[in-house]
């Protein structure tokens, strides 16, 4: 039983560590998507005001922006959870680089 518990802890720590390591890239990509969504929304609003596009186009772009914001928040939340798991399992906060 103790050996099984150790393997489970190692697996949990390994998965959480991989999550923490991949989080910065995913968060950066999600931030870029949010910024692009803001630019797209501003453009869509200008086109709507110029009566070039219907309001539904603005709403679709706004929906896409909200989806990218949700992806960003999810990535940030997953990073925080992975850090908490590492802290719980190892008793130490994860380092910002190197091996666990």
């Amino acid at each position: 039983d103790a050996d099984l518990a150790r393997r489970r802890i190692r697996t949990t720590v390994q998965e959480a560590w991989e999550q923490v390591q991949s989080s910065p890239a995913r968060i950066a990509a999600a931030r870029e998507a949010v910024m692009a969504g803001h630019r797209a929304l501003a453009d869509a609003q200008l086109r709507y005001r110029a009566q070039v596009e219907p309001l539904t186009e603005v709403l679709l772009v706004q929906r896409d922006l909200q989806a990218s914001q949700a992806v960003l928040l999810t990535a940030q939340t997953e990073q925080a959870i992975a850090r908490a798991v590492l802290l719980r399992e190892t008793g130490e906060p994860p380092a910002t680089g190197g091996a666990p």
Side-chain angles (χ1 to χ4, degrees):
D1 285 342
D3 195 38
L4 181 62
R6 276 197 236 35
R7 277 188 264 143
R8 183 192 57 78
I9 291 170
R10 276 192 210 109
T11 301
T12 301
V13 167
Q14 178 73 25
E15 290 169 358
W17 178 251
E18 290 169 3
Q19 180 80 23
V20 166
Q21 291 296 341
S22 67
S23 291
R26 287 182 323 172
I27 290 171
R31 281 190 181 130
E32 289 293 324
V34 168
M35 288 189 295
H38 281 291
R39 288 189 300 271
L41 180 59
D43 290 345
Q45 288 171 334
L46 287 173
R47 289 190 305 272
Y48 171 71
R49 286 186 198 118
Q51 298 179 350
V52 175
E53 287 190 3
L55 179 61
T56 54
E57 183 62 28
V58 174
L59 296 174
L60 289 172
V61 172
Q62 195 171 38
R63 181 197 62 189
D64 292 343
L65 172 58
Q66 289 171 346
S68 29
Q69 288 170 330
V71 169
L72 174 59
L73 292 173
T74 299
Q76 290 171 330
T77 301
E78 288 173 350
Q79 180 187 42
I81 290 170
R83 290 179 64 83
V85 166
L86 284 173
L87 183 59
R88 181 191 71 204
E89 295 294 339
T90 64
E92 304 255 337
T96 55

